[in-house]
Amino acid sequence: QGSKGRFNVEYSARLFTEKVLNHLEVLNREEYLALKDSFAASTNASKKNKAKSMLDYGADTDWFDEILQKPFGHSHHLSLDGGIENTSYRISFDYSDQDGILLNSHGQELRVISNLQQSALNDRLKFNIQLGMTDDKSNPVDYNAVRQTLARNPTYPVLNPDGSYFEVKDWEYEN
């Protein structure tokens, strides 16, 4: 809250980034094909059957690398406060803009808070008015993308030779 006869301005800013500390390990192409060979050589009928469905599409894709980005973010805080006689005020503005660690995840927020205080009857009666507003725009994390990185065949390419995204009809979540 502001004080009588003073006008104050405060500003702060912050820049930041994030990184994945514990990257989940998934099979690469070589490990996938070795697993397929071990299933094919097994005496277990269900493993032999599974080996037949483990197709090699020729790529060596780390699906976690494909869904991660190096995010950047910044936040700003501005506040103004002051007062006269029996009235004091404060208004603050906070803005943040942040990319998420996964591709296409992003958040942006603007928050404004104001406070007006009026004293009367030798400070025995106080009126306080507070108003706030938040505008939050975000594109949240798609956790299905994480799920697919755990199950996707590492031999699938990301793109077709013509630059379009590779799609396959033999997709199995229980792969």
Side-chain angles (χ1 to χ4, degrees):
Q1 201 58 298
S3 55
K4 181 179 170 183
R6 297 194 61 185
F7 176 72
N8 299 306
V9 177
E10 181 184 304
Y11 175 78
S12 62
R14 185 172 70 107
L15 302 174
F16 51 93
T17 188
E18 297 175 347
K19 72 177 190 172
V20 174
L21 293 178
N22 296 314
H23 193 292
L24 293 175
E25 295 300 321
V26 292
L27 297 179
N28 62 26
R29 180 176 193 270
E30 185 179 318
E31 295 163 333
Y32 178 81
L33 294 176
L35 181 64
K36 176 185 177 179
D37 290 344
S38 77
F39 280 6
S42 173
T43 58
N44 180 312
S46 109
K47 284 185 178 181
K48 275 190 173 302
N49 236 10
K50 185 65 179 170
K52 291 176 187 172
S53 72
M54 295 174 72
L55 303 177
D56 180 3
Y57 288 83
D60 189 5
T61 305
D62 183 328
W63 289 105
F64 273 107
D65 286 347
E66 295 300 323
I67 67 166
L68 297 177
Q69 66 182 349
K70 291 186 181 179
F72 174 75
H74 56 99
S75 63
H76 305 270
H77 171 79
L78 173 66
S79 66
L80 312 166
D81 65 62
I84 55 171
E85 290 299 318
N86 297 323
T87 304
S88 61
Y89 61 89
R90 178 176 176 88
I91 185 166
S92 63
F93 304 89
D94 291 288
Y95 175 76
S96 67
D97 188 354
Q98 177 180 0
D99 292 327
I101 201 95
L102 293 181
L103 282 176
N104 300 321
S105 60
H106 183 263
Q108 191 176 49
E109 181 180 62
L110 172 64
R111 181 177 296 154
V112 180
I113 299 172
S114 62
N115 190 358
L116 178 67
Q117 188 172 50
Q118 176 71 46
S119 298
L121 302 175
N122 293 330
D123 285 342
R124 285 188 246 152
L125 180 62
K126 290 187 179 183
F127 296 99
N128 192 18
I129 299 172
Q130 293 180 329
L131 298 172
M133 185 272 314
T134 300
D135 182 25
D136 187 6
K137 296 176 184 157
S138 65
N139 187 19
V141 170
D142 178 5
Y143 289 104
N144 189 46
V146 176
R147 177 182 179 193
Q148 287 200 26
T149 63
L150 296 171
R152 278 256 182 209
N153 179 337
T155 70
Y156 290 163
V158 177
L159 300 173
N160 292 311
D162 67 1
S164 62
Y165 283 103
F166 177 81
E167 291 292 333
V168 67
K169 302 285 188 236
D170 69 349
W171 173 251
E172 295 179 40
Y173 271 111
E174 284 69 35
N175 204 1

